[in-house]
Amino acid sequence: MTTPHARITWIVAITLVAATAAIWAIVASRDDGRDAKPQAMNDMPAMDMSSDGSAQLTAAQIAQFGVTFGTVEDRMLTAAARTTGVVTLDETRMTKVAPKFAGFVERLHVNFTGQAVRRGQPLLEIYSPELVAAQEELLLARRLERTIGESAVPGIPSSSTDLLAAAKRRLLLWDISEAQVEDILRTGAVRRTLTLYAPASGVVLEKQVTAGQAVDAGMTLYTIADLSRVWVDVQLRETDATLVRRGAAAALEIAGLPGRLFEGRVEYVYPMLDSVSRSVRARVTVPNAGRVLMPGMYATVRLLTPARSALTVPSSAVVQTGQRTLVFVDMGGGRLMPHDIEIGRASGDYTEVLTGVEPGQRVVTSAQFLLESESNLGEVMRSMMRQGGDRGMSDMPGMEMKGADMKGMPTAPRPKSPGK
C-alpha cells in the first residue's frame, strides 16, 4: 500500500507544477502582447473626438491629413440641365403646295424628293377647264372695257374697270402669278396650261404627284421645308423641368458633327408631364445657316437658366451619408464640427445651402470623409460605453478610453488551452 500512495502523491505534485507553469505562461504572453504594440500605431497621430462629434486637430495633423477649407458665401448660380435631344423640322417653316382648282398635270419641273427649290421657282404646269374659262372671261372683260370706252351713248360711263379687275382677281386668288395674267392680257390668247410656282424656299420632303395625273382642289402635291432653322426636341427630367424657361440658352453637341458647338434658345416648354418616363418635352430653336443639321440627328444639350444669387458652399465640402447631409465647419483652434445642412440646387463647383451654415464660415473641402468616419466611430464607442459603463470598457484588454477619445485598439492575444 505504501508504493501506490507514493505514486499518487508524485502524480498530484507534477500536475500542480504543470498547471502553475501554464498559468504563468499565459500571464506573461498577455503582458508581452500588451507591451508589444507596433511602433507604427504609436507613431500615428491620434484624432481626439469630443462628445458632440467634433474633431480636434493640431496644425501638424491638418497638414498631414491634407485638410483644406472653403468659404460659405453668396454667389451667382446658373442652373444647368444636361439632356439629350433629336433634331426635327421647324413646323413654322413647312409649306404644302395644293391647287385651288381641279385639273391635269401636264409637266413637272420639280420631279424628285429632296430637291432644293427657291421661292418663285416653277413647280409644274397644269391644264384645267376652270383656268381656261377664267382666261376667256378675262379677255372678254378686256374687250368689253375697250368697247364701252369707245361708246358715246349718253348716260353710259366712258370706262369701267370693275369687271376686268374682278376677272384678274379671280386668277390671282387661284395662285396664278401676276406675270402670267399680264401675259394673257398682252397677247390676248388663252393659254392651255398655266404654271404653279414654289411659294417658299426649302427642300422637297414629299412629292405626291406625277406627270399626267389628275388632281383635285386641295390635294397636296408637294411638301417643302425650310432647313435654315431647325428644332431640337429634348426630354427634361421632372426635377429639371421647373428650372428651364422660355428663352434659356442652349449649347448643343451633335453626335455626327464632333468638335462643333451649336447655340440655340428654348422656344417652348410643353405643359404636360409624361407619366411613364417622368419627363417634360421642350423645344430648342437652332439656326442652321450651313444646312449641316439634318432632321433625325442626335444631340447632347446643355440648358442654362438665368443666374441668381444664393448662399453656397463648395460642392466638395458636402458629405451625403444616405441619412444625413452635412459639412464640417471650422470652429477655430483646430476644432472641426459637423453641421447638418439642407441643400438646394448644384451649379458647377458650388451647391446651394438652404439651412445649417452662415455666410463667412469656413468648411472642410477635403478629407471630410475621414472626419466623418472617425465621428461615426466615436458615436459607436460612446453608445457602447452608455450600455456597458465606463468601468466595463476600461476593463477590456487592449482598449484605453478617455471619455470618447480613442488612442488605439491593439488586439489582445487569445490564450491557448494548456492541454493535459
Side-chain angles (χ1 to χ4, degrees), residues 107-165:
R107 180 184 178 188
L108 291 178
H109 293 281
V110 176
N111 52 14
F112 64 90
T113 303
Q115 184 174 350
V117 297
R118 302 181 311 275
R119 180 183 178 89
Q121 178 179 338
L123 293 178
L124 56 86
E125 296 179 10
I126 188 170
Y127 163 74
S128 172
E130 297 180 41
L131 289 179
V132 173
Q135 294 179 73
E136 291 177 348
E137 291 178 3
L138 177 66
L139 294 177
L140 180 61
R142 178 66 177 271
R143 288 194 298 268
L144 183 60
E145 180 188 27
R146 290 179 178 177
T147 302
I148 293 177
E150 296 174 355
S151 174
V153 179
I156 298 178
S158 58
S159 63
S160 176
T161 59
D162 293 343
L163 187 59
L164 178 62

Side-chain angles (χ1 to χ4, degrees), residues 66-124:
V67 179
T68 58
F69 298 93
T71 309
V72 181
E73 295 180 3
D74 286 320
R75 297 180 177 90
M76 298 300 294
L77 285 183
T78 301
R82 190 177 182 88
T83 183
T84 58
V86 180
V87 179
T88 61
L89 295 170
D90 186 344
E91 296 178 2
T92 64
R93 293 175 175 260
M94 296 179 63
T95 306
K96 291 185 178 295
V97 179
K100 297 178 175 63
F101 48 84
F104 300 87
V105 176
E106 293 284 332
R107 180 184 178 188
L108 291 178
H109 293 281
V110 176
N111 52 14
F112 64 90
T113 303
Q115 184 174 350
V117 297
R118 302 181 311 275
R119 180 183 178 89
Q121 178 179 338
L123 293 178
L124 56 86

Side-chain angles (χ1 to χ4, degrees), residues 14-69:
I14 293 173
T15 303
L16 292 176
V17 172
T20 304
I23 293 173
W24 279 106
I26 293 172
V27 174
S29 62
R30 181 175 300 176
D31 293 339
D32 292 342
R34 183 180 296 117
D35 296 336
K37 291 190 296 184
Q39 186 64 26
M41 293 294 294
N42 294 331
D43 294 340
M44 288 185 62
M47 187 183 302
D48 295 335
M49 304 301 298
S50 62
S51 58
D52 56 4
S54 62
Q56 186 71 36
L57 275 70
T58 64
Q61 290 173 334
I62 291 176
Q64 184 170 357
F65 292 148
V67 179
T68 58
F69 298 93

Side-chain angles (χ1 to χ4, degrees), residues 362-376:
R362 291 209 315 167
V363 292
V364 177
T365 58
S366 65
Q368 63 269 51
F369 286 99
L370 175 62
L371 300 175
E372 198 271 336
S373 62
E374 291 287 344
S375 177
N376 288 342

Side-chain angles (χ1 to χ4, degrees), residues 280-299:
V280 176
R281 290 178 57 197
R283 188 171 66 228
V284 179
T285 301
V286 183
N288 188 25
R291 308 298 197 277
V292 294
L293 297 178
M294 295 180 288
M297 284 184 165
Y298 286 101

